[in-house]
């Protein structure tokens, strides 16, 4: 991987790698956030494995990027966010490889970048916050099948990434979102509280 803003000789030729807005804590901000800093991660395919080849910190307001700002950001979290955003984008990416140029669909890109294990910790926190938002919304509307609601909504939002999404995968996401504290109440607890409030 290149040293911060230095680009290696075999870097990707893709011109439109997405910028990831950075919040005050140095992590990923919501996509629509008006932040001073953003990170661009470029990827290169080497020996069949996709790796970040260049990381650029951008001041979106035209100012200089300081060493202190570099020390503050959470690079690992933002690289994970980049991988997730590329997969959700659903279009082709032009990548430099060892001996040629490859055009990969975003789904192939994330498959190559995914850690070779059964762990799903590769998803950024923004993913679990989104899952929690959908789940909690379904719970508040008395939806008796919030897992199906999450699966349906994620397939609609990201058809290129989750067209084959399974309920077992969604259940795993929900468990992780609960463990991270993004889901305060299960749908069953929400219904029980609403029933209790009605009876009083």
């Amino acid at each position: 991987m290149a040293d911060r803003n230095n680009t290696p000789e075999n870097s990707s030729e893709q011109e439109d790698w997405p910028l990831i807005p950075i919040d005050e804590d140095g992590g990923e901000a919501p996509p629509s956030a008006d932040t001073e800093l953003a990170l661009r991660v470029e990827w290169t395919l080497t020996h069949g494995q996709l790796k970040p080849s260049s990381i650029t910190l951008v001041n979106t307001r035209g100012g200089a990027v300081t060493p202190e700002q570099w020390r503050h950001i959470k690079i690992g979290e933002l690289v994970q966010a980049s991988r997730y955003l590329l997969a959700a984008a659903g279009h082709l990416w032009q990548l430099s490889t060892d001996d040629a140029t490859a055009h990969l669909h975003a789904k192939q890109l994330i498959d190559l970048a995914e850690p070779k294990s059964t762990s799903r910790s590769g998803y950024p926190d923004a993913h679990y916050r989104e899952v929690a938002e959908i789940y909690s919304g379904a719970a508040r509307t008395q939806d008796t099948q919030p897992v199906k609601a999450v699966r349906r909504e994620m397939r609609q939002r990201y058809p290129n990434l989750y067209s084959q999404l399974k309920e077992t995968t969604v259940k795993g996401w929900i468990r992780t979102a609960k463990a991270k504290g993004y889901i305060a109440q299960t749908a069953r607890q929400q219904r029980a509280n609403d029933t209790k409030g009605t009876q009083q």
Side-chain angles (χ1 to χ4, degrees):
M1 185 167 62
D3 182 19
R4 294 183 175 176
N5 291 5
N6 295 328
T7 304
E9 293 182 359
N10 66 336
S11 71
S12 167
E13 298 297 323
Q14 171 65 31
E15 297 179 356
D16 191 28
W17 297 102
L19 282 173
I20 304 166
I22 301 173
D23 62 23
E24 293 181 356
D25 295 326
E28 181 191 10
S32 60
D34 179 21
T35 62
E36 179 182 4
L37 296 177
L39 198 77
R40 175 180 287 114
V41 182
E42 297 184 14
W43 298 79
T44 297
L45 191 62
T46 304
H47 303 301
Q49 185 176 9
L50 196 72
K51 295 182 178 181
S53 58
S54 176
I55 296 177
T56 306
L57 188 59
V58 177
N59 187 313
T60 61
R61 297 169 188 170
V65 174
T66 68
E68 178 59 32
Q69 288 174 320
W70 264 113
R71 287 193 291 269
H72 185 61
I73 68 169
K74 300 174 181 177
I75 293 180
E77 175 184 327
L78 296 169
V79 169
Q80 289 178 354
S82 169
R83 182 177 62 206
Y84 178 75
L85 290 173
L86 290 174
H91 50 257
L92 293 173
W93 295 84
Q94 182 172 302
L95 298 163
S96 294
T97 69
D98 296 328
D99 52 11
T101 299
H103 291 79
L104 297 184
H105 190 275
K107 180 63 170 67
Q108 294 172 295
L109 188 149
I110 199 174
D111 286 343
L112 288 168
E114 191 74 49
K116 300 301 185 286
S117 71
T118 57
S119 170
R120 303 307 297 173
S121 60
Y123 291 101
D125 282 349
H127 169 77
Y128 295 110
R129 288 195 293 268
E130 186 173 19
V131 168
E133 174 194 354
I134 299 168
Y135 179 93
S136 298
R140 284 193 299 271
T141 59
Q142 300 291 309
D143 192 325
T144 59
Q145 296 181 313
V147 174
K148 290 183 183 296
V150 173
R151 177 175 178 266
R152 181 174 58 250
E153 183 64 23
M154 292 298 281
R155 289 178 67 181
Q156 289 176 355
R157 292 184 184 184
Y158 308 107
N160 295 288
L161 181 58
Y162 296 133
S163 62
Q164 304 298 319
L165 182 60
K166 298 179 180 178
E167 281 193 30
T168 53
T169 301
V170 174
K171 289 178 180 178
W173 291 348
I174 292 170
R175 283 195 298 270
T176 301
K178 289 176 182 176
K180 288 177 174 289
Y182 299 145
I183 295 176
Q185 288 187 322
T186 65
R188 184 175 300 175
Q189 288 171 329
Q190 180 72 44
R191 289 195 296 271
N193 288 344
D194 290 344
T195 301
K196 187 181 300 182
T198 303
Q199 293 174 346
Q200 290 178 352

